[in-house]
């Protein structure tokens, strides 16, 4: 293997692990993937992690990736981190965390989010300022929780970081974030491209505690510190990019952005379902997170709570394999086992209707797939409409729907989404889109190239194109009718 090969490292620091992709900067070839776990603790709504474990896992994953790639450490030229969004890291005078980080799925801050949403002119004003209304996941609500429940930690903090910000600072020594991850805090103005002073004043957060906002996630913010170089086993000359949040990095990995695909919808099927698209419009709509992308465009995102995990629960209850499903027919399942976020039904439970003595259990499982797919595709229609697009217009409807996440590898999921959407589907061949997107940010920091243009050239978002099938309007309308009828009483 030629030693002149330029290798970049893209790190996906997720809720439960770190994955480091060693990527050929010229071709986008994934040479190796290193992994290392870290723990999540907490109960009764608490979800926390020790950021020191993130750092240890990052270093272990990077070392494993370089070793398994079989390349000399000297060939590594750049690194970038894409991290789980919204988490709160409070730093002390020594630059180390004062306490475990509050994670995105820590719901203890729900009362603080509700109270904040009524301030500053109410939800519409928050959408106009920051793109999103405060909910428990947003960092502003978590900071408010810390001020109310642990004031000694809030008062002692000398720095406030998001997870990816903290790791980037450990790599480079520079306190920096990017527009994409910053847009998930509810204290960054997506309209102004800067921290909102009124929000900071409302929540009592000194802007001096926050990192600078780099122009993009591919901005070169420095090189490895001596301590970071030693921990990772890499040269100090390795360029460090500003990095971004995990959703923004996945968009880069798919080639979504100003130098690639705009207004092309994506559905991610995981524990939760998400829908997003890179767009030049700046939509502000209830139920949407009006994120910024990392390249200067926007990344509006909708999220449903019940997706693959909820359907798998139905398979378990029915004693069926997850792929042993049939069309639901007259059966309708709304699998809202954890309440639902989109639509906003936080107190909902699962609902099954249309059962008969002769109902095939496989049809019940198929109806669970249909109910979950309907919910996420309905959120997609709302997202497109908020971007000024007509979901039913041929020019919009005919754009391939990019299907990612664990569910995208399942036949039942794929066929259900095809049938209920009536759209062509692209299922990207690459699995590690967040890490690949981060690698493109690292390559951008090294060469100055646009990372979306790089992934477009690399083809990381490419995959099999599945032609559309006629949309199952009958099933769609049946689910919509049940949802409308049940919402005022059974689901609220």
């Amino acid at each position: 293997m030629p030693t002149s090969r330029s290798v970049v490292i893209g790190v996906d620091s997720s809720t439960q692990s770190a994955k480091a992709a060693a990527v050929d900067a010229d071709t986008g070839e994934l040479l190796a993937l290193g992994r290392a776990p870290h723990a999540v603790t907490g109960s009764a709504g608490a979800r926390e992690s020790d950021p020191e474990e993130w750092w240890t896992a990052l270093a272990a994953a990077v070392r494993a990736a370089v070793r398994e790639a079989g390349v000399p450490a000297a060939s590594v030229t750049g690194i970038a981190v894409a991290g789980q969004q919204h988490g709160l890291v409070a730093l002390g005078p020594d630059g180390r965390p004062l306490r475990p980080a509050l994670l995105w799925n820590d719901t203890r801050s729900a009362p603080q989010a509700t109270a904040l949403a009524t301030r500053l002119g109410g939800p519409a004003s928050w959408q106009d300022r920051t793109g999103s209304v405060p909910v428990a996941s947003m960092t502003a609500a978590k900071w408010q929780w810390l001020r109310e429940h642990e004031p000694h930690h809030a008062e002692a903090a000398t720095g406030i970081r998001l997870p990816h910000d903290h790791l980037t600072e450990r790599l480079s020594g520079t306190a920096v974030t990017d527009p994409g991850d910053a847009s998930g805090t509810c204290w960054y103005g997506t309209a102004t491209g800067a921290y909102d002073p009124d929000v900071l004043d409302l929540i009592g957060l000194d802007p001096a505690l926050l990192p600078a906002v780099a122009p993009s996630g591919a901005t070169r913010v420095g090189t490895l510190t001596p301590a970071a170089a030693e921990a990772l086993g890499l040269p100090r000359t390795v360029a460090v990019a500003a990095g971004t949040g995990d959703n923004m990095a996945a968009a880069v990995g798919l080639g979504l952005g100003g130098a690639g695909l705009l207004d092309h919808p994506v559905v991610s099927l995981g524990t939760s379902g998400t829908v997003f698209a890179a767009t030049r419009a700046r939509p502000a709509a209830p139920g949407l997170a009006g994120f910024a992308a990392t390249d200067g465009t926007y990344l509006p995102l909708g999220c449903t709570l019940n997706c693959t995990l909820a359907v798998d629960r139905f398979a378990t209850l029915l004693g069926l394999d997850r792929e042993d499903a049939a069309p639901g027919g007259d059966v309708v399942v709304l699998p809202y086992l954890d309440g639902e976020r989109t639509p906003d039904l936080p107190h909902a439970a699962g609902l099954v209707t249309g059962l008969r003595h002769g109902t095939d259990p496989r049809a019940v499982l198929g109806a669970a797939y249909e109910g979950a797919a309907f919910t996420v595709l309905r959120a997609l229609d709302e997202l497109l409409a908020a971007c000024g697009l007509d979901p039913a217009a041929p020019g919009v409807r005919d754009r391939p729907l990019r299907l990612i996440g664990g569910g995208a590898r399942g036949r039942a999921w794929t066929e259900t989404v095809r049938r209920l959407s009536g759209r062509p589907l692209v299922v990207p061949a690459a699995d590690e889109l967040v890490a690949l997107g981060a690698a493109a940010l690292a390559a951008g920091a090294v060469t100055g190239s646009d990372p979306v243009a790089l992934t477009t050239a690399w083809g990381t978002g490419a995959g099999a194109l599945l032609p559309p099938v006629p949309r199952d309007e009958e099933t769609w309308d049946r689910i919509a009718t049940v949802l409308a009828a049940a919402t005022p009483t059974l689901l609220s």
Side-chain angles (χ1 to χ4, degrees), residues 75-472:
S75 67
V76 178
T77 56
I79 188 170
V81 176
Q84 54 176 308
Q85 288 190 253
H86 309 306
L88 177 72
V89 182
L91 301 178
D94 60 354
R96 295 295 181 261
L98 290 168
R99 69 175 316 284
L102 301 172
L103 302 186
W104 63 275
N105 53 350
D106 189 313
T107 59
R108 290 175 292 176
S109 52
Q112 287 73 28
T114 299
L116 286 176
T118 65
R119 308 288 295 277
L120 295 179
S125 176
W126 281 94
Q127 288 173 350
D128 184 59
R129 288 171 176 270
T130 71
S132 305
V133 178
V135 293
S137 63
M138 299 294 183
T139 324
K142 299 185 186 305
W143 170 250
Q144 194 72 349
W145 182 91
L146 193 71
R147 291 179 70 207
E148 295 177 14
H149 290 269
E150 299 179 8
H152 58 293
H153 282 141
E155 292 165 5
T158 61
I160 298 297
R161 305 288 185 265
L162 296 167
H164 116 262
D165 305 344
H166 175 60
L167 293 172
T168 300
E169 190 170 8
R170 290 292 296 266
L171 290 170
S172 67
T174 303
V176 65
T177 190
D178 85 302
D181 212 7
S183 68
T185 60
C186 266
W187 61 56
Y188 174 84
T190 53
T192 63
Y195 296 126
D196 188 307
D198 294 331
V199 174
L200 296 180
D201 183 62
L202 172 67
I203 62 177
L205 181 55
D206 184 348
L209 300 183
L210 298 176
V213 183
S216 80
T219 301
R220 180 180 175 132
V221 299
T223 59
L224 292 178
T225 67
E230 181 178 359
L232 274 60
L234 296 176
R236 288 191 57 192
T237 53
V238 171
V240 180
T244 193
D246 51 7
N247 286 300
M248 295 76 198
V252 172
L254 287 165
L256 272 59
L261 298 170
L262 288 168
D263 301 321
H264 278 245
V266 178
V267 169
S268 177
L269 302 172
T271 301
S272 61
T274 57
V275 295
F276 59 87
T279 178
R280 294 201 186 279
R282 182 181 171 271
L288 288 184
F291 294 146
T294 195
D295 71 339
T297 57
Y298 296 97
L299 197 73
L301 181 144
C303 181
T304 69
L305 291 182
N306 298 275
C307 197
T308 59
L309 194 63
V311 173
D312 284 351
R313 181 59 181 155
F314 271 87
T316 299
L317 290 171
L318 294 163
L320 297 173
D321 182 88
R322 65 178 57 165
E323 293 292 344
D324 195 12
D330 292 334
V331 181
V332 172
V333 173
L334 298 176
Y336 301 162
L337 304 185
D338 293 315
E340 188 47 72
R341 175 174 170 178
T342 309
D344 186 16
L345 297 167
H347 305 296
L351 178 69
V352 181
T353 185
L355 294 180
R356 301 286 185 183
H357 280 290
T359 299
D360 186 337
R362 296 177 302 165
V364 180
L365 179 57
Y369 277 102
E370 291 167 353
F374 166 89
T375 304
V376 74
L377 291 170
R378 187 171 176 264
L380 176 62
D381 286 349
E382 294 172 359
L383 183 147
L384 293 171
C387 294
L389 302 169
D390 179 0
V396 177
R397 184 190 61 224
D398 295 341
R399 291 172 189 164
L401 178 62
R402 281 160 174 79
L403 200 64
I404 64 174
R409 304 300 172 186
R411 176 193 57 79
W413 272 113
T414 302
E415 293 307 311
T416 303
V417 170
R418 287 180 79 194
R419 181 162 52 89
L420 289 184
S421 70
R423 291 175 175 272
L425 299 186
V426 170
V427 181
D431 287 323
E432 304 298 338
L433 289 165
V434 173
L436 290 169
L441 298 179
V446 173
T447 66
S449 301
D450 186 295
V452 174
L454 281 174
T455 55
T456 300
W458 290 351
T460 54
L465 176 64
L466 304 178
V469 297
R471 190 181 187 203
D472 187 347

